[in-house]
Amino acid sequence: QVQLVESGGGSVQAGGSLRLSCAASGSTWSRTCMAWFRQAPGKEREGVAGINRGGFGTYYADSVKGRFTISQDIANDTLYLQMTSLKPEDTAMYYCAANPGPFCWGAGTLGKYNYWGQGTQVTVSS
């Protein structure tokens, strides 16, 4: 079993920054891949950024490249998402997720993430 607990969401103005954290516990082999997803009201859940726990790669949605950075602290079992230059369209519930791999990103990988946190709300005002 894997437990994921997100924190760090909030309300900011456009152009601002936030850092999301995801504290993970439980089976490490079940979280070879870690990722951040988001879902805005009335929209489908979408992948924002992903990372291979072994350090073999990071992945980003085109909409956040150059603005968001995913990272991890292996020793403390924490996943981060540093968000800068935030835009109103970044407003969404952000979720941390894990899957046992080996496919961390790309078409069809949403369904491979079988552990999810409860989400943290990010609101960006113009």
Side-chain angles (χ1 to χ4, degrees), residues 98-114:
N99 93 57
F103 303 106
C104 298
W105 197 254
T109 54
L110 172 62
K112 299 186 185 299
Y113 281 86
N114 49 358

Side-chain angles (χ1 to χ4, degrees), residues 14-30:
S17 300
L18 282 173
R19 189 177 79 158
L20 305 183
S21 299
C22 173
S25 60
S27 170
T28 54
W29 72 264
S30 293

Side-chain angles (χ1 to χ4, degrees), residues 7-9 17-21 36 69 71 80-83 86:
S7 61
S17 300
L18 282 173
R19 189 177 79 158
L20 305 183
S21 299
W36 289 98
T69 303
S71 62
Y80 299 102
L81 184 69
Q82 179 68 49
M83 306 185 293
L86 282 161

Side-chain angles (χ1 to χ4, degrees), residues 2-60:
V2 173
Q3 294 78 43
L4 303 170
V5 180
E6 303 97 333
S7 61
S11 297
V12 295
Q13 290 192 325
S17 300
L18 282 173
R19 189 177 79 158
L20 305 183
S21 299
C22 173
S25 60
S27 170
T28 54
W29 72 264
S30 293
R31 36 193 177 96
T32 296
C33 300
M34 298 288 293
W36 289 98
F37 290 82
R38 67 186 180 187
Q39 188 167 20
K43 295 189 177 181
E44 293 186 353
R45 190 169 296 190
E46 63 173 350
V48 175
I51 190 167
N52 182 294
R53 195 172 187 273
F56 298 120
T58 56
Y59 316 91
Y60 296 94

